[in-house]
Amino acid sequence: QVQVVESGGGLVQAGGSLRLSCTASGLTFDDYAVGWFRQAPGKEREAVSCIRWHGDTTSYADSVKGRFTISRDNAKNTVYLQMSSLKPEDTGMYYCAAAVVLTRYSGVYYCPNTDDAYWGQGTQVTVSS
């Protein structure tokens, strides 16, 4: 049984930092591309950052470039999203997804195909001004 679990969300002031973690089990992790997605109330889901299987290729939404860093540790079956210089507009539910097939999603490359992906339950990030 495949499980994807996110952690690390919380409430932070603008300018602060958080690190999200996404840990998967029940699959051969290094066969999968992994992506972080977020959804704010009343808005569509958007891709934040995605990483290919071996971590050598990453892609970011323009809105987070230079502030967020995605990385993966395949030995731990975990992908991280280091978020710095957070802004109130970064607020939302952050989801992790993993899939073998890649796609481009809301302008971010190397994202897991969301129709085929395994999804986590999400972790809330709230940035106060």
Side-chain angles (χ1 to χ4, degrees):
Q1 182 181 357
V2 175
Q3 283 192 317
V4 177
V5 180
E6 303 97 334
S7 62
L11 173 63
V12 64
Q13 287 190 332
S17 299
L18 284 173
R19 189 176 81 157
L20 306 183
S21 298
C22 168
T23 301
S25 59
L27 48 77
T28 305
F29 191 64
D30 55 3
D31 287 345
Y32 285 74
V34 177
W36 285 99
F37 300 79
R38 68 186 179 191
Q39 188 164 20
K43 294 189 176 181
E44 292 187 353
R45 182 176 63 195
E46 62 175 347
V48 175
S49 182
C50 298
I51 187 167
R52 287 184 63 178
W53 308 279
H54 298 296
D56 56 338
T57 308
T58 59
S59 183
Y60 297 90
D62 287 343
S63 60
V64 306
K65 281 180 182 175
R67 300 189 297 121
F68 290 11
T69 302
I70 191 171
S71 62
R72 66 190 294 162
D73 184 341
N74 286 344
K76 296 182 178 180
N77 281 15
T78 299
V79 169
Y80 304 98
L81 185 69
Q82 178 67 47
M83 305 186 296
S84 303
S85 302
L86 283 161
K87 304 175 181 179
E89 52 263 44
D90 294 317
T91 294
M93 185 69 78
Y94 283 67
Y95 298 92
C96 176
V100 173
V101 178
L102 301 180
T103 190
R104 179 186 177 193
Y105 192 99
S106 62
V108 180
Y109 291 92
Y110 316 120
C111 289
N113 185 317
T114 55
D115 291 337
D116 301 324
Y118 295 103
W119 289 87
Q121 81 290 348
T123 187
Q124 178 68 36
V125 171
T126 303
V127 184
S128 62
S129 57

